Amino acid sequence: EQWIYLDGEFVTKEGAKVSVFDHGFLYGDGIFEGIRIYNGNIFKCKEHLDRLYDSAKSIQLNIPLSYEEMEAALVETLRRNELRDGYIRLVVSRGVGNLGLDPNRCPKASVIIIAEQLAIYSEEAYKTGLKTVSVSTRRNIPDALNPKIKSLNYLNNILVKIQSNLAGAGEAIMMNAQGYVTEGSGDNIFIVKRGVITTPPCYLGALEGITRQAIIEICERIGYKLKEEPFTLHDVYIADEVFLTGTAAEVIAVREVDGRIIGEGHAGPITLRLLDEFRSIVDKDGLKVWE
Ligand SMILES: Cc1ncc(COP(=O)(O)O)c(CNc2cccc(C(=O)O)c2)c1O
């Protein structure tokens, strides 16, 4: 039986329903986090909850649970589902209101926690890398809907995913309005050229990825040279290595972008070393559920 946390109660999948007047449903008015648990460790739990509460503050959404209560709800949901390895989707919507969009008509935000097994990429995919394309759909401009807010408004990302599906590609790369590369539909991007790793600054229009930050810190620790600087598709095409990072994706190589083969056409040495280093910390850094 899968138990889902819904506003303080645990309900079964069948019982896990939201109102048609929920503004998360009606307007995408809400925020979410995607978190992974590795061998009983909620990886980077603090970083995810910090980002959740930041996103909430940014859209003036009052989460009805304190940080500690939210942590306890996460742990309880994982325990009830006896999940040691898997994926957590934590959603906070504005809650039930009337058909108007005014958030002031929504008296109480709704908190939902779904815990599931996760299988996104095969081990083979981490070696062969993904075929990707760039897309015409630009990343939301920060002064319209800031990509730093992990909101339920994922239509920008979905339109990108539709274009990558159409191209038969595994992921798509977005530019911002100025033509600088920002990120993938659900992951951050890094390029490697002559041993130097570069990732776009998030102010260009990217989510402040927690996996991205973990990779930045790993590079610092193991002495890899990393820069946060803008780059264009040209720099991606001529890169020696390209990889994407995300909670679901972890660290996944890109073997092709718009028909250009990247490097040798499979995961490069720096990408594989960073994946290895990343996987060595995922069951350490975070909140232990069963201890
Ligand atoms: C737009 C975007 N950019 C970057 C990331 C990577 O951020 P983290 O390193 O903090 O996860 C994300 C996060 N994207 C994400 C997170 C969890 C699950 C899924 C999924 O595809 O089901 C996607 C994202 O949605």
Side-chain angles (χ1 to χ4, degrees), residues 61-115:
L61 192 164
N62 175 40
I63 298 180
L65 295 180
S66 69
Y67 183 102
E68 290 71 23
E69 288 166 336
M70 186 66 81
E71 219 175 41
L74 274 182
V75 168
E76 180 61 18
T77 306
L78 288 164
R79 284 187 178 152
R80 284 195 180 220
N81 288 285
E82 298 169 354
L83 203 66
R84 295 189 66 85
D85 290 278
Y87 175 75
I88 304 155
R89 178 55 60 91
L90 167 46
V91 182
V92 183
S93 88
R94 188 78 65 176
V96 170
N98 64 11
L99 288 180
L101 56 76
D102 184 351
N104 289 339
R105 309 299 295 267
C106 302
K108 190 167 186 285
S110 185
V111 180
I112 294 158
I113 304 174
I114 304 164

Side-chain angles (χ1 to χ4, degrees), residues 32-35 48 51 87 89 120 139 150 154 157 174 183-188 207-212 245-248:
F32 79 102
E33 278 297 325
I35 309 171
H48 281 285
R51 186 170 65 186
Y87 175 75
R89 178 55 60 91
I120 177 162
R139 192 72 176 103
K150 196 167 174 68
Y154 258 52
N157 314 58
M174 287 184 256
E183 59 180 342
S185 66
D187 35 52
N188 294 99
L207 182 74
E208 290 183 310
I210 287 162
T211 316
R212 172 185 179 276
T245 65
T247 293

